[in-house]
Amino acid sequence: MDTAKDSRSTQVYIVDDDAELCESVSWLLDSAGIDSTICHNADEFLTEFDRQRPACIILDVRMPRMSGPRLQEQLNRIAPHVAIIFVSAHGDINMSVSTMKAGAQDFLEKPYNPQRLIDAVQFGIEGASVRFDNYLKSRQLSEKLALLTPRELEVLALVVEGLPSQNIGRRLGMSVKTVDVHRTRIKMKTDADSIGTLARDILRFDVPFP
């Protein structure tokens, strides 16, 4: 993996109230060709955070005002595409399990092995880029689905379930010809290559129906 290239496209943040540790981690990442931004608390991070870029966040569990898990909850709402690596000096197994269940990529105990941290960040950089691309595709698909009428959405939902036109018509009380007209309109409005491709993308990127 080209780390320098990935670190330019994915922003790495170090969020910890321990200034010395932040500098140490920043120096370690810099030695591996990874640029980073230091934030000493959650509020500072939220000010610096660019939602329009993929992000990998090295996040301390216990911080004043807003803890790491609380920041994770907020990010899950506003930026579910970020990769989070939690760090903690307390060895809290329950906290580790809960943050991983909430979507964290990794949980490292302080003092952590330098190479393991670098490996985790490199993995996070790559994963964040993929998550961000999927997030953008999901948003784009959602915007296209918003153009459909309620009836077209009903037809599309049944296509996603895997039903053929005849079964869809029977389910919705319409002729097969009418179903096919709706399918054609859906394809045109969403600019999809095919209805099948659209259905697969909706499932692949977990796109909610309006």
Side-chain angles (χ1 to χ4, degrees):
M1 182 180 65
D2 186 345
T3 303
K5 179 179 178 181
D6 285 342
S7 63
R8 286 195 297 271
S9 59
T10 299
Q11 181 65 45
V12 176
Y13 296 91
I14 304 167
V15 186
D16 198 312
D17 60 324
D18 185 332
E20 290 187 9
L21 184 140
C22 286
E23 292 295 339
S24 175
V25 171
S26 179
W27 179 87
L28 176 66
L29 296 181
D30 187 63
S31 71
I34 302 171
D35 293 330
S36 60
T37 298
I38 293 174
C39 301
H40 295 117
N41 54 63
D43 291 334
E44 185 178 339
F45 164 77
L46 290 171
T47 299
E48 293 285 339
F49 179 50
D50 182 359
R51 298 190 201 181
Q52 304 307 314
R53 292 181 62 185
C56 175
I57 306 165
I58 303 169
L59 181 58
D60 189 24
V61 169
R62 301 178 190 273
M63 295 184 294
R65 294 193 297 277
M66 185 186 297
S67 68
R70 281 188 58 201
L71 178 58
Q72 181 188 30
E73 290 177 7
Q74 186 164 340
L75 288 171
N76 282 345
R77 293 193 298 270
I78 66 174
H81 55 276
V82 301
I84 298 177
I85 301 167
F86 272 104
V87 293
S88 173
H90 302 279
D92 190 330
I93 295 177
N94 291 333
M95 182 67 71
S96 171
V97 172
S98 64
T99 55
M100 296 290 281
K101 283 184 177 180
Q105 172 197 299
D106 210 338
F107 194 103
L108 307 180
E109 290 187 27
K110 302 176 185 176
Y112 32 72
N113 179 282
Q115 188 57 52
R116 185 182 174 191
L117 177 61
I118 291 174
D119 290 344
V121 172
Q122 289 175 332
F123 186 74
I125 286 171
E126 184 176 348
S129 181
V130 172
R131 287 189 187 194
F132 187 71
D133 286 344
N134 290 345
Y135 172 70
L136 289 182
K137 289 173 183 175
S138 178
R139 282 182 54 187
Q140 292 167 356
L141 276 174
S142 293
E143 290 170 358
K144 291 178 179 180
L145 295 187
L147 301 174
L148 304 181
T149 66
R151 198 57 161 172
E152 288 165 351
L153 286 171
E154 287 181 322
V155 171
L156 180 57
L158 295 177
V159 172
V160 171
E161 285 186 25
L163 272 63
S165 293
Q166 186 174 5
N167 290 9
I168 293 173
R170 192 177 301 119
R171 180 84 66 88
L172 299 179
M174 62 177 69
S175 67
V176 173
K177 182 177 180 180
T178 300
V179 173
D180 288 339
V181 168
H182 283 306
R183 291 173 65 113
T184 299
R185 288 176 179 169
I186 292 168
K187 180 175 176 294
M188 291 176 60
K189 287 184 178 182
T190 60
D191 195 30
D193 293 333
S194 69
I195 294 297
T197 299
L198 177 62
R200 285 195 298 271
D201 286 345
I202 288 171
L203 291 172
R204 178 184 176 188
F205 300 115
D206 194 23
V207 181
F209 278 80

